[in-house]
Amino acid sequence: MSFETLLDEWRQPVVIPADPEFSNKVLARIKQPQTRTIKLHSTLIRMAAAAMLAVATGLGLGQILHHQQSNETIDNELITAANDLGLNPLLDDPYNYLITEPED
Amino acid sequence: MDNQNWQELLKTGNEKAFRKLIDEYRPLVFRTASRFLNNPDDCSDLTQEVFIEIWQSIHRFRGDASLSTWIYRITVNKALNQLRKEKRKFWITGFQKMTTIADPATSPDETSGKLLRTEGARLIDKALSELPVNQRVAFVLSQAENLSQKAVAEVMNLSESAVESLIHRARTNLRKKLNRYHSE
């Protein structure tokens, strides 16, 4: 079937269902606007999705904080070790001492 | 009731004038909606929504464009919004389907509630639904509603040359998609 034939079929007007009460229905809705009924099922699913998202966000934040804490712990341990070795951790490269041959 | 007087009456919320508007434009709204939505109930609901919107905003209609252009614009906007909502709903219903065991006795018949369309028309509808929205709107208004490029441009708030280009691209893309369906 050619493209134009398909288009001709598609162009055929759709059947518009008879509805003698249509304008009355519209006017009734205008005069008495319907309140939106809350669909319990959808609401529960949305709430569950929101809760899952909150848990996931919490876990993510927890991991970030834990990571920061871990970094702090490592830093503290390095400073302690440097102190024990008699190094000044504030120097640009405190470990240079270990690889540089002492001057005579 | 002449046209000018009728529109003035509409703006004052005259019920009789509004009923006349519904009688005159309901076919246009339903027809246009049916080019975007497949279900006749959805088309009827959308048609009601369009007339409620018209009632609520008729005072803002300045008459720069024709009344039908304005009504086309409202209809297309509402139909596209409905499609967006359906896309969002897809996630929720998809999740519901996963968590609910379907009861065959109460499952709706797949074929009921569909607009009566030929196989060829449905193929074009399917291909159209895969086109970018602006190409789809331009094509539907020009080819199904038989609007001039100028009128389509007014509805879509675009230049005539932009509309011409959209229609051309829609045709080309439709052909490609239909060829692909045949080869599958």
Side-chain angles (χ1 to χ4, degrees):
Chain A
M1 207 183 280
S2 74
F3 179 64
E4 292 304 326
T5 316
L6 287 175
L7 267 189
D8 285 341
E9 276 190 24
W10 174 78
R11 281 194 193 103
Q12 295 303 311
V14 293
V15 179
I16 298 164
D19 189 355
E21 287 300 304
F22 184 80
S23 52
N24 286 338
K25 286 180 201 166
V26 174
L27 282 163
R29 281 184 66 184
I30 288 168
K31 286 172 187 169
Q32 198 174 22
Q34 283 180 336
T35 52
R36 288 191 176 181
T37 52
I38 298 166
K39 291 181 181 167
L40 187 64
H41 205 170
S42 301
T43 311
L44 283 175
I45 287 167
R46 280 180 197 165
M47 282 168 69
M52 280 167 68
L53 187 68
V55 168
T57 312
L59 285 173
L61 276 173
Q63 276 191 335
I64 290 167
L65 287 173
H66 178 70
H67 181 70
Q68 280 176 345
Q69 272 180 351
S70 303
N71 281 353
E72 278 172 21
T73 313
I74 291 165
D75 287 348
N76 288 339
E77 282 175 3
L78 280 174
I79 290 166
T80 312
N83 284 336
D84 289 348
L85 290 166
L87 302 173
N88 185 353
L90 299 174
L91 290 175
D92 283 346
D93 188 359
Y95 307 107
N96 195 35
Y97 169 79
L98 297 172
I99 54 169
T100 315
E101 288 194 17
E103 287 172 19
D104 290 329
Chain B
M1 208 186 314
D2 64 46
N3 218 25
Q4 183 84 32
N5 191 19
W6 173 50
Q7 288 187 13
E8 288 308 315
L9 281 172
L10 267 176
K11 286 183 183 181
T12 60
N14 182 291
E15 207 175 294
K16 198 177 163 196
F18 188 60
R19 281 181 192 275
K20 185 175 180 283
L21 175 103
I22 290 176
D23 288 344
E24 196 160 317
Y25 287 99
R26 180 175 166 251
L28 177 154
V29 174
F30 189 96
R31 232 173 33 226
T32 309
S34 71
R35 298 293 176 181
F36 295 92
L37 312 172
N38 288 322
N39 186 308
D41 289 339
D42 288 347
C43 295
S44 285
D45 286 348
L46 192 119
T47 308
Q48 285 191 25
E49 297 285 339
V50 168
F51 284 106
I52 292 169
E53 174 78 39
I54 290 171
W55 175 269
Q56 287 167 346
S57 52
I58 189 74
H59 61 278
R60 290 207 301 269
F61 174 66
R62 295 188 307 270
D64 299 342
S66 70
L67 190 61
S68 62
T69 301
W70 188 62
I71 293 174
Y72 270 122
R73 194 179 292 170
I74 293 173
T75 308
V76 169
N77 280 341
K78 287 223 172 268
L80 296 179
N81 279 339
Q82 178 71 22
L83 288 178
R84 278 185 213 114
K85 274 184 207 163
E86 279 174 13
K87 269 190 186 170
R88 280 201 294 269
K89 246 193 229 170
F90 177 80
W91 285 94
I92 295 170
T93 50
F95 184 68
Q96 281 173 334
K97 275 179 190 165
M98 278 196 296
T99 54
T100 315
I101 299 165
D103 178 2
T106 54
S107 293
D109 178 4
E110 280 293 311
T111 55
S112 69
K114 297 253 174 185
L115 290 162
L116 289 172
R117 311 276 277 144
T118 63
E119 190 57 36
R122 269 195 233 121
L123 268 178
I124 299 275
D125 277 338
K126 183 177 185 292
L128 267 175
S129 71
E130 293 171 10
L131 292 187
V133 166
N134 51 4
Q135 285 181 28
R136 186 179 181 182
V137 173
F139 191 83
V140 163
L141 293 177
S142 72
Q143 302 298 307
E145 286 300 301
N146 227 3
L147 294 189
S148 66
Q149 283 182 5
K150 185 172 181 262
V152 178
E154 279 177 1
V155 173
M156 296 182 74
N157 210 13
L158 293 172
S159 68
E160 278 185 62
S161 58
V163 168
E164 189 181 357
S165 161
L166 284 173
I167 295 168
H168 176 74
R169 274 187 281 153
R171 257 182 179 276
T172 312
N173 287 333
L174 276 179
R175 272 181 197 277
K176 279 186 199 164
K177 284 181 189 298
L178 291 167
N179 283 338
R180 206 184 63 213
Y181 297 158
H182 277 297
S183 62
E184 275 171 4

